[in-house]
Amino acid sequence: MSKNKTTLVRRELGLVQMRQMNVTSKKLTVEQEFQYLVVLDFESTCWEGKWNAPEQEIIEFPAVLLNLQSGEVISEFQQYVMPMEQPVLSPFCTSLTGITQEQVDAGVPLGTSIYLFSKWLQSLCEQHKLSFCAAVPGNRATFATWSDWDLEICLQRECTRKRIRKPEFFNQWADVKLLYKKFYQRKPKGLAGALQDLGLTFQGREHSGISDARNTATLISRMSPRLK
Ligand code: AMP
Ligand code: MG
Ligand code: MG
């Protein structure tokens, strides 16, 4: 990897989509440097041949904390979530994600999952002095997801529909798919394809949220210039 390109991607990681609660159509681009990323990848209810159905509900809520300096994942969160509106998973959904009916039946409602996730994040913020806001001193952190779907569409839509309060910190993220496209000037064939293009193999199970989050973190580490 050339130095120019690796330096570029470091800068590009500062391209963060900011979604304003009251200005839904406006995306701001800000230049920032980050020390930590919370890499997140939701799985939701789904049906064969139906992409991005408006009635989707989150069924797996996983995230990993990536230290960009070391390239290490230093903490993980995973919670299965019980769908309330359509509680029975389609056979397609279980086969795609590997998530079983028993796992979601034993899961928690989305609001509880957001609460548990917030507690996990809060303790990491204290431990590693993370700051999600430029005005607050500390180690700069933001979210990272493969595409905008997780935070712009999936979580936003379900929280609005169910009138669940969505914490402010979910309104800022880096779209790793977009960064990949800009960096390598090519359209990847999914997350596994993006890794494969770099000579890496997807570890674990594709479309398992926790595996997707870990592999997205691996991809970011590879793209980040201070590493490798
Ligand atoms: P992913 O992170 O790629 O596993 O996808 C997140 C969610 O998008 C999944 O949990 C599904 O709800 C939905 N999804 C992904 N692939 C498909 C597909 N081929 N057909 C329908 N829904 C899908
Ligand atoms: Mg995903
Ligand atoms: Mg996934």
Side-chain angles (χ1 to χ4, degrees), residues 40-43 145-147 149-150 191 207 209 212 216:
L40 181 147
D41 185 272
F42 296 133
E43 300 304 325
T145 54
W146 179 256
S147 90
W149 177 80
D150 300 81
L191 175 58
H207 303 295
D212 284 351
T216 305

mmCIF file of all heavy atoms in Angstrom, residues 40-43 145-147 149-150 191 207 209 212 216, ligand 2:
data_model
loop_
_atom_site.group_PDB
_atom_site.id
_atom_site.type_symbol
_atom_site.label_atom_id
_atom_site.label_comp_id
_atom_site.label_asym_id
_atom_site.label_seq_id
_atom_site.Cartn_x
_atom_site.Cartn_y
_atom_site.Cartn_z
ATOM 1 N N LEU A 40 -20.310 -1.111 14.449
ATOM 2 C CA LEU A 40 -21.633 -1.656 14.782
ATOM 3 C C LEU A 40 -22.267 -2.292 13.537
ATOM 4 O O LEU A 40 -22.054 -1.820 12.425
ATOM 5 C CB LEU A 40 -22.414 -0.444 15.270
ATOM 6 C CG LEU A 40 -23.811 -0.486 15.744
ATOM 7 C CD1 LEU A 40 -23.976 0.555 16.836
ATOM 8 C CD2 LEU A 40 -24.741 -0.195 14.609
ATOM 9 N N ASP A 41 -23.004 -3.374 13.717
ATOM 10 C CA ASP A 41 -23.649 -4.025 12.562
ATOM 11 C C ASP A 41 -24.941 -4.727 13.006
ATOM 12 O O ASP A 41 -24.890 -5.802 13.607
ATOM 13 C CB ASP A 41 -22.708 -5.043 11.920
ATOM 14 C CG ASP A 41 -23.302 -5.627 10.653
ATOM 15 O OD1 ASP A 41 -24.039 -6.633 10.753
ATOM 16 O OD2 ASP A 41 -23.066 -5.077 9.576
ATOM 17 N N PHE A 42 -26.070 -4.118 12.722
ATOM 18 C CA PHE A 42 -27.347 -4.719 13.126
ATOM 19 C C PHE A 42 -27.768 -5.833 12.183
ATOM 20 O O PHE A 42 -27.502 -5.765 10.971
ATOM 21 C CB PHE A 42 -28.478 -3.675 13.085
ATOM 22 C CG PHE A 42 -28.311 -2.545 14.057
ATOM 23 C CD1 PHE A 42 -28.481 -1.232 13.651
ATOM 24 C CD2 PHE A 42 -28.016 -2.798 15.395
ATOM 25 C CE1 PHE A 42 -28.340 -0.186 14.546
ATOM 26 C CE2 PHE A 42 -27.888 -1.746 16.296
ATOM 27 C CZ PHE A 42 -28.048 -0.442 15.865
ATOM 28 N N GLU A 43 -28.469 -6.812 12.744
ATOM 29 C CA GLU A 43 -29.249 -7.748 11.932
ATOM 30 C C GLU A 43 -30.708 -7.482 12.262
ATOM 31 O O GLU A 43 -31.041 -7.128 13.402
ATOM 32 C CB GLU A 43 -28.892 -9.211 12.241
ATOM 33 C CG GLU A 43 -27.438 -9.577 11.994
ATOM 34 C CD GLU A 43 -26.946 -9.286 10.583
ATOM 35 O OE1 GLU A 43 -27.733 -9.438 9.626
ATOM 36 O OE2 GLU A 43 -25.775 -8.887 10.444
ATOM 37 N N THR A 145 -19.880 1.968 10.429
ATOM 38 C CA THR A 145 -20.767 0.898 9.960
ATOM 39 C C THR A 145 -20.480 0.619 8.490
ATOM 40 O O THR A 145 -19.965 1.491 7.777
ATOM 41 C CB THR A 145 -22.253 1.314 10.086
ATOM 42 O OG1 THR A 145 -22.433 2.558 9.417
ATOM 43 C CG2 THR A 145 -22.679 1.453 11.528
ATOM 44 N N TRP A 146 -20.800 -0.576 8.060
ATOM 45 C CA TRP A 146 -20.647 -0.927 6.635
ATOM 46 C C TRP A 146 -21.913 -0.448 5.936
ATOM 47 O O TRP A 146 -22.958 -1.083 6.029
ATOM 48 C CB TRP A 146 -20.444 -2.450 6.487
ATOM 49 C CG TRP A 146 -20.316 -2.870 5.058
ATOM 50 C CD1 TRP A 146 -21.246 -3.480 4.292
ATOM 51 C CD2 TRP A 146 -19.157 -2.706 4.223
ATOM 52 N NE1 TRP A 146 -20.770 -3.701 3.029
ATOM 53 C CE2 TRP A 146 -19.478 -3.238 2.956
ATOM 54 C CE3 TRP A 146 -17.884 -2.154 4.410
ATOM 55 C CZ2 TRP A 146 -18.581 -3.246 1.899
ATOM 56 C CZ3 TRP A 146 -16.987 -2.154 3.353
ATOM 57 C CH2 TRP A 146 -17.340 -2.706 2.122
ATOM 58 N N SER A 147 -21.838 0.680 5.280
ATOM 59 C CA SER A 147 -22.955 1.404 4.637
ATOM 60 C C SER A 147 -23.710 2.228 5.676
ATOM 61 O O SER A 147 -23.491 2.079 6.878
ATOM 62 C CB SER A 147 -23.926 0.476 3.881
ATOM 63 O OG SER A 147 -24.967 0.023 4.718
ATOM 64 N N TRP A 149 -26.901 2.036 6.191
ATOM 65 C CA TRP A 149 -28.181 1.388 6.512
ATOM 66 C C TRP A 149 -28.429 1.291 8.027
ATOM 67 O O TRP A 149 -29.527 1.611 8.498
ATOM 68 C CB TRP A 149 -28.219 -0.014 5.876
ATOM 69 C CG TRP A 149 -29.456 -0.774 6.214
ATOM 70 C CD1 TRP A 149 -30.685 -0.639 5.639
ATOM 71 C CD2 TRP A 149 -29.595 -1.777 7.232
ATOM 72 N NE1 TRP A 149 -31.578 -1.501 6.235
ATOM 73 C CE2 TRP A 149 -30.937 -2.210 7.211
ATOM 74 C CE3 TRP A 149 -28.725 -2.361 8.165
ATOM 75 C CZ2 TRP A 149 -31.431 -3.198 8.066
ATOM 76 C CZ3 TRP A 149 -29.214 -3.341 9.020
ATOM 77 C CH2 TRP A 149 -30.549 -3.744 8.970
ATOM 78 N N ASP A 150 -27.404 0.890 8.794
ATOM 79 C CA ASP A 150 -27.615 0.590 10.216
ATOM 80 C C ASP A 150 -28.150 1.788 11.003
ATOM 81 O O ASP A 150 -29.152 1.674 11.711
ATOM 82 C CB ASP A 150 -26.287 0.104 10.841
ATOM 83 C CG ASP A 150 -25.787 -1.143 10.152
ATOM 84 O OD1 ASP A 150 -25.160 -1.001 9.065
ATOM 85 O OD2 ASP A 150 -26.026 -2.255 10.626
ATOM 86 N N LEU A 191 -19.017 -6.946 2.178
ATOM 87 C CA LEU A 191 -17.923 -6.856 3.143
ATOM 88 C C LEU A 191 -16.896 -7.969 2.913
ATOM 89 O O LEU A 191 -15.684 -7.726 2.931
ATOM 90 C CB LEU A 191 -18.513 -6.929 4.564
ATOM 91 C CG LEU A 191 -17.560 -6.963 5.733
ATOM 92 C CD1 LEU A 191 -16.636 -5.746 5.754
ATOM 93 C CD2 LEU A 191 -18.359 -7.041 7.038
ATOM 94 N N HIS A 207 -23.216 -12.277 7.828
ATOM 95 C CA HIS A 207 -24.572 -11.891 8.261
ATOM 96 C C HIS A 207 -24.877 -12.257 9.707
ATOM 97 O O HIS A 207 -26.021 -12.149 10.142
ATOM 98 C CB HIS A 207 -25.664 -12.431 7.329
ATOM 99 C CG HIS A 207 -25.482 -11.996 5.902
ATOM 100 N ND1 HIS A 207 -25.568 -10.676 5.516
ATOM 101 C CD2 HIS A 207 -25.193 -12.705 4.786
ATOM 102 C CE1 HIS A 207 -25.347 -10.598 4.215
ATOM 103 N NE2 HIS A 207 -25.107 -11.805 3.751
ATOM 104 N N GLY A 209 -24.287 -10.581 13.060
ATOM 105 C CA GLY A 209 -23.933 -9.195 13.366
ATOM 106 C C GLY A 209 -22.570 -9.057 14.024
ATOM 107 O O GLY A 209 -21.771 -8.197 13.637
ATOM 108 N N ASP A 212 -19.897 -9.731 11.485
ATOM 109 C CA ASP A 212 -19.803 -8.603 10.539
ATOM 110 C C ASP A 212 -19.084 -7.413 11.191
ATOM 111 O O ASP A 212 -18.241 -6.768 10.563
ATOM 112 C CB ASP A 212 -21.207 -8.166 10.085
ATOM 113 C CG ASP A 212 -21.832 -9.129 9.066
ATOM 114 O OD1 ASP A 212 -21.136 -10.028 8.578
ATOM 115 O OD2 ASP A 212 -23.033 -8.959 8.767
ATOM 116 N N THR A 216 -15.585 -5.932 9.926
ATOM 117 C CA THR A 216 -15.520 -4.527 9.506
ATOM 118 C C THR A 216 -14.358 -3.848 10.229
ATOM 119 O O THR A 216 -13.613 -3.060 9.639
ATOM 120 C CB THR A 216 -16.862 -3.800 9.809
ATOM 121 O OG1 THR A 216 -17.917 -4.526 9.183
ATOM 122 C CG2 THR A 216 -16.864 -2.376 9.305
HETATM 123 MG MG MG B 2 -24.448 -4.924 7.948
#
